[in-house]
Every structure is written in structure tokens, then in C-alpha cells.
Amino acid sequence: MDNLQFKKLLKKAIMYALLLMVTFIFIVPSIWIVGSSFNQGTNIFSTTLIPKNPTLFHYKELLFNTDYPLWFGNTLKIATLNMLLSLVLTISTAMAFSRFKFKGKKITMMTILILQMFPSMLAMMALYVILNRFGLLNTHLGLVIVYATGQIPFNTWLVKGYLDAIPKSLDEAARIDGASNITIVTKVVLPLAKPILVFVALQNFIGPWFDFVLPQVILRSQDKWTLALGLFRWVADRAQNNFTMFAAGAVLVTIPITILWAIFQKHIVEGLAAGASKG
């Protein structure tokens, strides 16, 4: 083996070692959480990776004797409304910046670009005061409005980059045939932008599903809680001694997201690739 072959072999060995290490770091905690959810008892330290006597007790208890179904319904409602509202706002703003010329367009785009660099944590106090003034504190509508409007800057830049790559000659051809602006958007542009729109919709659906900070600030009463907030409060109120049921709740949370990723995997990959090359 010459020196060149040895270097190639060494690079491959290092690359596979890193991949195995990253895989181990991500997969083992997930397997451990799934295994914990089927263990008997409540203490996290007594659980094993592979349960000795697996049981569905924690899942039954969670679904029939806690507010978990209510929190699941709240989260599903907020995630769905946020996804729909974000899509409408994103399509409107991205189409305006991509297809129309107006005064102040460049400055507005730069302002949006700068705004998305500020972390949402900076606006927490302001959001709290504004929602309180409008009577939207402790409401799902208030939370949806914060989510949807906060995602406009990033989504607008992402979708605008994709729309810019769709030839404007298609719009002009449709307009010559008598199509209105709404017809051009719905019948010509949006079908061609399906991959990036599916990606944006899924991202906006997943965001509220796992978010803890904003619900913690905005939602007060227990009947309004989301899954992340409800599970945390539920475990914390029991002196943190019911982690096996918390593990069961965490496993159930991932099921809808896993199904969506499996169904829309093709569009997500296309959307990510498009966002990377055109955004």
C-alpha cells in the first residue's frame, strides 16, 4: 500500500468513525426514551434500555387519566391554524416581492432580512404587553398570531427565492389569455412552487408542536396548555418522579411528525435543496 492509498483509507476511517459517533449520539437517547416508556415504575434511574417486563400502563394512564388528549388537541389546533395562516401570509408577501415593482421594495426586503436576525426572545416582554392590551393573552389565537407573524421574514426570503426562478413569461402568457392575478397565482405559480410550499407548511406545523417558551409566556390556564407545556408542568408538579409516563408522552408527540415526514419526504428534500440553491 503506497502513501496515497494509506491517506485515502485513513480519511474514510475517520469519516465513518465520525458518522458512527453522531449516529450514536442521536439514536441512543431516542431508543432509551422509547424503552423507558415501556418500563414499569416511575423512576428514571430504574429504567433499562430494553424493558425486562414491558407494559403499556403509562400509555393507558396518559390517554385516559390525564389531560394529555386535551393538550394534544390544543397543539394540533394551534399547529394547523399557524400552518394555514403562515402559508397565506408567506405566499402574499413572497409574490408581492417576487412579481411586482413598487417604491421602497429594496429597503423593505433589507428590513425583513435584518429583522429575522433578531432572536424572538428579545420581543417576549413586548409581545406580552401587546397581547394583554388586545385581550389576546391566554388565548390560542394570540399564540397563533405570534407564531405566524414571527415566521414571515424567514419564509418570505425562502419562498421569494424560489418564485424568482419561475419564469415570468408564464405569468405574461396567462395574462394575455385573460387570466386575473389571482388565477395566475393559484393556477400557474403555486403548482410550480409546491415543493417549497410543502416544506414551509411542514416547518410551520412542527414549530408550535415542540415549542415550550412562547406557550409558557402566553398561556396561563391548564385547559389552554399545549403538549410541551402540559408535559413539563405535569412532571414538575409531581416532584419530577414520573419520568416513565413523561417518556410515553414524548413518544406519542413524535408520531404525527414522523408520519408527516414520511408522507412528504420527497417534497421536503426538494424544498430544502431549492431553498439552499435559490434562497
Side-chain angles (χ1 to χ4, degrees):
M1 180 183 300
D2 58 21
N3 193 32
L4 186 61
Q5 286 180 324
F6 176 75
K7 284 183 178 178
K8 285 183 178 178
L9 192 62
L10 185 62
K11 283 182 181 177
K12 276 189 177 180
I14 293 172
M15 184 182 68
Y16 280 114
L18 287 173
L19 287 174
L20 284 173
M21 186 176 68
V22 172
T23 304
F24 181 81
I25 290 171
F26 278 98
I27 287 184
V28 168
S30 302
I31 295 175
W32 183 72
I33 285 290
V34 174
S36 298
S37 69
F38 290 104
N39 270 277
Q40 295 181 348
T42 59
N43 196 322
I44 197 170
F45 297 107
S46 63
T47 60
T48 55
L49 193 66
I50 301 174
K52 293 177 182 176
N53 298 302
T55 176
L56 292 174
F57 171 79
H58 304 304
Y59 289 95
K60 291 177 182 175
E61 191 71 11
L62 200 64
L63 292 174
F64 298 109
N65 294 319
T66 69
D67 287 332
Y68 189 89
L70 176 64
W71 301 334
F72 191 96
N74 288 342
T75 309
L76 182 64
K77 181 176 75 174
I78 292 169
T80 305
L81 289 175
N82 176 53
M83 179 185 70
L84 296 174
L85 183 58
S86 295
L87 269 181
V88 172
L89 294 174
T90 300
I91 291 169
S92 304
T93 52
M95 277 297 298
F97 285 118
S98 175
R99 287 299 195 264
F100 299 102
K101 293 180 180 178
F102 53 89
K103 196 173 182 180
K105 177 180 175 180
K106 188 174 286 186
I107 295 175
T108 309
M109 287 296 296
M110 288 305 298
T111 305
I112 290 177
L113 181 65
I114 293 170
L115 282 176
Q116 73 175 350
M117 296 176 183
F118 289 92
S120 58
M121 297 292 290
L122 290 177
M124 284 294 175
M125 288 304 297
L127 289 173
Y128 185 90
V129 173
I130 292 170
L131 291 177
N132 191 34
R133 289 279 177 87
F134 285 93
L136 293 172
L137 206 60
N138 195 34
T139 65
H140 292 161
L141 178 61
L143 188 59
V144 169
I145 290 173
V146 172
Y147 279 136
T149 52
Q151 291 159 348
I152 289 176
F154 175 77
N155 290 343
T156 299
W157 269 95
L158 188 68
V159 176
K160 176 191 174 298
Y162 195 96
L163 296 181
D164 286 344
I166 298 175
K168 293 181 181 178
S169 58
L170 296 176
D171 303 21
E172 293 164 2
R175 192 166 284 111
I176 290 172
D177 289 339
S180 64
N181 285 333
I182 295 177
T183 304
I184 292 171
V185 172
T186 56
K187 301 290 185 184
V188 178
V189 179
L190 293 189
L192 294 173
K194 188 178 176 182
I196 195 68
L197 295 179
V198 170
F199 173 73
V200 169
L202 196 58
Q203 287 295 107
N204 292 330
F205 184 85
I206 292 174
W209 205 264
F210 296 118
D211 185 35
F212 172 78
V213 178
L214 278 175
Q216 168 77 2
V217 173
I218 295 172
L219 303 178
R220 296 297 177 189
S221 53
Q222 190 168 343
D223 62 322
K224 304 284 186 182
W225 287 355
T226 59
L227 277 173
L229 182 58
L231 280 173
F232 174 78
R233 292 282 185 86
W234 184 71
V235 173
D237 291 345
R238 285 161 177 74
Q240 302 182 2
N241 63 354
N242 213 341
F243 275 104
T244 45
M245 202 174 292
F246 178 85
V251 171
L252 290 177
V253 167
T254 62
I255 291 175
I257 306 301
T258 306
I259 293 172
L260 285 175
W261 275 91
I263 293 173
F264 297 108
Q265 185 179 13
K266 178 184 173 185
H267 294 301
I268 292 167
V269 173
E270 289 178 3
L272 282 170
S277 60
K278 301 171 186 175

